[in-house]
Amino acid sequence: DSGVTQTPKHLITATGQRVTLRCSPRSGDLSVYWYQQSLDQGLQFLIQYYNGEERAKGNILERFSAQQFPDLHSELNLSSLELGDSALYFCASSVNRGDSYGYTFGSGTRLTVV
Amino acid sequence: AQTVTQSQPEMSVQEAETVTLSCTYDTSESDYYLFWYKQPPSRQMILVIRQEAYKQQNATENRFSVNFQKAAKSFSLKISDSQLGDAAMYFCAYRRNAGNAGNMLTFGGGTRLMVKP
């Protein structure tokens, strides 16, 4: 158990639908990062939150949005889903500035759009 | 923008032998960190080793070591005495030292390592 909890582990939904992925960071970590990994590809950075505020955006589609709540858990909302959105979505957390360690990753949510 | 390139999509090694995975990166920053992550079939991302750019000494973690060439922007991973459990996707990653904003990891495309018994 890495300390980063992602739910659900698996999600199957139809095109056009909306889903919410949830991430609870490791205790004490203030930053949350969302990544998308399509089949047999590398991880693409989507968005970062730090202590409730958006801090950086990557290649995140307009159909996707995220937020970080006061208790530091984060949610990634995916709407108007398309077949190409099928992927493994990772959440990672880290402490703060100057954290030279790599981030701690959750086990991911596998999204299948049918 | 920073980029990370892994030029070897697949590598194979005989059990107990040594293998080196290559990684190059492009950045204009001078203060950054480099990482190797392992992703086994379970798809969990596992940190293997990290290197601070300001350190000249190459990092070592048991059977894993790196060859960090800052001027050449090269960061290779050497796995000694390869074991069957080392079979996985390996990702090289870069992170700038930027406080708490814009310090996301940038990943290479990965190298699939196969270990032959």
Side-chain angles (χ1 to χ4, degrees):
Chain A
D1 182 7
S2 68
V4 178
T5 304
Q6 287 189 249
T7 57
K9 293 193 182 301
H10 301 277
L11 197 51
I12 301 175
T13 190
T15 54
Q17 295 298 305
R18 172 188 170 94
V19 297
T20 297
L21 312 183
R22 181 186 170 101
C23 169
S24 293
R26 192 179 54 173
S27 178
D29 286 359
L30 300 177
S31 276
V32 169
Y33 308 79
W34 286 98
Y35 286 85
Q36 178 192 56
Q37 185 180 29
S38 300
L39 186 64
D40 288 337
Q41 294 187 13
L43 283 76
Q44 299 295 319
F45 169 70
L46 295 178
I47 197 164
Q48 175 201 0
Y49 278 83
Y50 172 77
N51 204 19
E53 296 184 3
E54 181 185 305
R55 285 307 176 100
K57 258 186 174 180
N59 298 322
I60 187 167
L61 300 173
E62 287 191 8
R63 300 183 285 109
F64 296 0
S65 64
Q67 53 184 329
Q68 186 178 28
F69 295 86
D71 66 352
L72 301 179
H73 91 271
S74 178
E75 294 181 356
L76 179 66
N77 300 296
L78 315 177
S79 62
S80 303
L81 286 167
E82 302 174 359
L83 295 178
D85 297 328
S86 296
L88 191 55
Y89 291 85
F90 283 105
C91 167
S93 72
S94 71
V95 177
N96 201 346
R97 72 188 71 188
D99 177 13
S100 65
Y101 288 84
Y103 305 139
T104 303
F105 282 81
S107 57
T109 292
R110 181 172 295 282
L111 173 66
T112 303
V113 182
V114 298
Chain B
Q2 295 80 20
T3 58
V4 179
T5 302
Q6 294 179 248
S7 59
Q8 306 153 316
E10 285 191 359
M11 293 280 287
S12 67
V13 62
Q14 204 71 33
E15 194 176 7
E17 298 294 308
T18 296
V19 65
T20 298
L21 308 185
S22 301
C23 172
T24 58
Y25 58 94
D26 186 25
T27 183
S28 58
E29 306 277 346
S30 60
D31 190 8
Y32 53 87
Y33 306 100
L34 296 164
F35 307 87
W36 279 97
Y37 277 88
K38 172 184 178 181
Q39 187 178 45
S42 67
R43 306 305 291 269
Q44 178 71 42
M45 295 293 289
I46 302 167
L47 178 63
V48 175
I49 199 167
R50 64 182 175 91
Q51 174 80 43
E52 292 90 340
Y54 63 84
K55 289 186 176 180
Q56 292 186 336
Q57 186 173 5
N58 289 324
T60 299
E61 290 286 344
N62 301 314
R63 298 182 295 107
F64 298 88
S65 62
V66 299
N67 183 4
F68 173 47
Q69 301 290 328
K70 190 171 184 179
K73 297 181 182 175
S74 170
F75 183 61
S76 61
L77 174 70
K78 185 172 81 170
I79 306 174
S80 303
D81 185 25
S82 296
Q83 301 175 359
L84 295 178
D86 294 334
M89 281 289 285
Y90 286 82
F91 292 98
C92 178
Y94 164 99
R95 175 173 82 79
R96 56 194 284 251
N97 187 9
N100 54 40
N103 58 357
M104 73 291 291
L105 290 168
T106 299
F107 287 89
T111 296
R112 183 177 303 279
L113 178 66
M114 295 172 286
V115 181
K116 300 177 182 178

